Amino acid sequence: PMHVRLLSRFTSGKGVRQIINSQPVVLFMKGVPEMPLCGHSAFAVELMKYYGRAIKEVGDYTAMDVSQDELLREDVKEVGGWPTFPQLWVRGKLIGGSDILLEMHDK
């Protein structure tokens, strides 16, 4: 996966929208895929690996660590209207967090 880390001074609601609209799949998470910082982010990464084998676009997702950047974290929450992480965005649309991902996987 491609990993991107933005500094707070470059982020804003506008910057977050630019990220989610310029990348086909974006996972805002706590930590990075190689070292998630919470169980929910780890679960999302495992699902991305699982589906990435079958769906190239999912396998080439962009992961962004929100744990070290409070402004980025707050901007992502505001743009998506979703209070928790991880958040999975596909083609500019919020899919949801790990609970939604689990529901989709179970179907």
Side-chain angles (χ1 to χ4, degrees):
M2 175 175 52
H3 308 287
V4 179
R5 174 87 169 72
L6 296 181
L7 301 174
S8 294
R9 62 192 174 96
F10 296 116
T11 63
S12 66
K14 181 179 177 185
V16 169
R17 284 184 193 87
Q18 184 177 11
I19 295 163
I20 61 177
N21 288 323
S22 67
Q23 302 297 319
V25 180
V26 181
L27 179 65
F28 292 99
M29 61 180 289
K30 294 179 181 175
V32 295
E34 295 80 12
M35 190 177 294
L37 297 178
C38 74
H40 297 290
S41 290
F43 175 75
V45 168
E46 288 305 310
L47 280 180
M48 299 301 282
K49 287 179 189 175
Y50 178 81
Y51 287 104
R53 290 185 190 104
I55 306 168
K56 184 181 183 329
E57 187 175 77
V58 172
D60 293 335
Y61 70 98
T62 299
M64 297 194 67
D65 181 5
V66 299
S67 67
Q68 304 297 315
D69 193 327
E70 185 174 342
L71 291 176
L72 175 62
R73 190 169 48 250
E74 292 307 313
D75 287 344
V76 172
K77 287 180 186 180
E78 183 178 315
V79 169
W82 194 266
T84 60
F85 294 94
Q87 290 187 17
L88 179 65
W89 292 76
V90 177
R91 295 185 196 101
K93 304 246 187 245
L94 175 63
I95 302 302
S98 59
D99 54 341
I100 302 298
L101 296 176
L102 178 59
E103 286 178 23
M104 294 171 71
H105 175 71
D106 286 345
K107 291 181 180 180

